[in-house]
Amino acid sequence: EAGVAQSPRYKIIEKRQSVAFWCNPISGHATLYWYQQILGQGPKLLIQFQNNGVVDDSQLPKDRFSAERLKGVDSTLKIQPAKLEDSAVYLCASNHIIRTGRGEQFFGPGTRLTVL
Amino acid sequence: QQPVQSPQAVILREGEDAVINCSSSKALYSVHWYRQKHGEAPVFLMILLKGGEQKGHEKISASFNEKKQQSSLYLTASQLSYSGTYFCGTRSRNSNSGYALNFGKGTSLLVTP
């Protein structure tokens, strides 16, 4: 079974530029998450999708971050304009939600963003 | 909301044991444990759903004390491959955020020969 795919793996931009990340979850996984992991910290949820609907985006800085999941499969996360503090690894995760199930999340390799 | 992990870092010799703790200020529905090696994605270890539940995975096991809102991860007879950063992820009972997790800051584990 193929895992969660993300691209690009690395991105270096200057502040105030825009950047987009792509994620393709495991086939059949209805729930998709975007996490931000700053160096030395645990992953922090940015947004959660259930199919193509947003379940939770309470921690997404909506003035600069946006995300979409058209057709309920792959997803893109965009930052516009980027700030220095956005430097982090952006992790995508997915799982197949069953209300009484395991709930384990499968993570992609992440995109390491450096904002100069 | 972020759970607190302790210790922040631990260094072991191969074959030694370690315990990593995770505590929350909120009532918990479940606790997840992940291990992340440098430059790689977090990898799922186990989930604990019921108070008092204990689970095992090879020589790695965990317990969940629902009343104390705490979980502990036990690594016995550590191997070099156990090195990495261990994160606990928690879901609170009154969470309205689906199955998203709040992760601790992590515990860095280094196993030396």
Side-chain angles (χ1 to χ4, degrees), chain A residues 2-115:
Chain A
V4 177
Q6 288 189 248
S7 67
R9 291 295 311 277
Y10 305 93
K11 190 74 178 178
I12 300 174
I13 62 173
E14 294 190 349
K15 59 183 180 183
R16 290 189 288 274
Q17 285 187 323
S18 302
V19 65
F21 314 127
W22 175 81
C23 171
N24 191 26
I26 292 173
S27 178
H29 281 192
T31 305
L32 183 148
Y33 312 81
W34 282 103
Y35 289 92
Q36 178 192 58
Q37 187 175 25
I38 292 172
L39 186 64
Q41 304 283 322
K44 171 190 164 187
L45 179 72
L46 292 176
I47 189 167
Q48 177 188 349
F49 292 95
Q50 177 78 14
N51 296 309
N52 59 352
V54 175
V55 174
D56 184 1
D57 63 357
S58 58
Q59 298 188 90
L60 186 74
K62 297 180 186 64
D63 58 334
R64 298 184 299 106
F65 286 65
S66 63
E68 59 182 11
R69 190 184 184 196
L70 299 176
K71 301 180 182 178
V73 182
D74 55 353
S75 174
T76 55
L77 176 70
K78 296 179 182 178
I79 308 175
Q80 181 180 6
K83 292 185 176 181
L84 296 176
E85 59 261 36
D86 297 332
S87 293
V89 175
Y90 291 84
L91 294 164
C92 179
S94 71
N95 62 1
H96 189 335
I97 287 291
I98 301 174
R99 286 208 171 270
T100 57
R102 294 166 57 82
E104 62 186 277
Q105 297 183 17
F106 297 86
F107 284 84
T111 296
R112 183 176 296 278
L113 173 68
T114 302
V115 182

Side-chain angles (χ1 to χ4, degrees), chain B residues 14-32:
Chain B
E14 206 171 0
E16 291 182 335
D17 302 340
V19 180
I20 300 172
N21 300 304
C22 174
S23 64
S24 173
S25 59
K26 303 184 81 172
L28 298 177
Y29 175 78
S30 64
V31 180
H32 302 222

Side-chain angles (χ1 to χ4, degrees), chain B residues 10-18 20 35 37 45 57-61 74-86 108-113:
Chain B
V10 59
I11 300 175
L12 298 173
R13 287 192 181 273
E14 206 171 0
E16 291 182 335
D17 302 340
I20 300 172
R35 177 172 61 208
K37 294 184 180 287
L45 293 176
H57 181 266
E58 296 179 344
K59 294 180 181 177
I60 301 175
S61 61
Y74 306 94
L75 300 100
T76 57
S78 60
Q79 305 170 12
L80 297 176
S81 61
Y82 287 1
S83 294
T85 301
Y86 290 78
S108 176
L109 177 75
L110 176 64
V111 181
T112 62

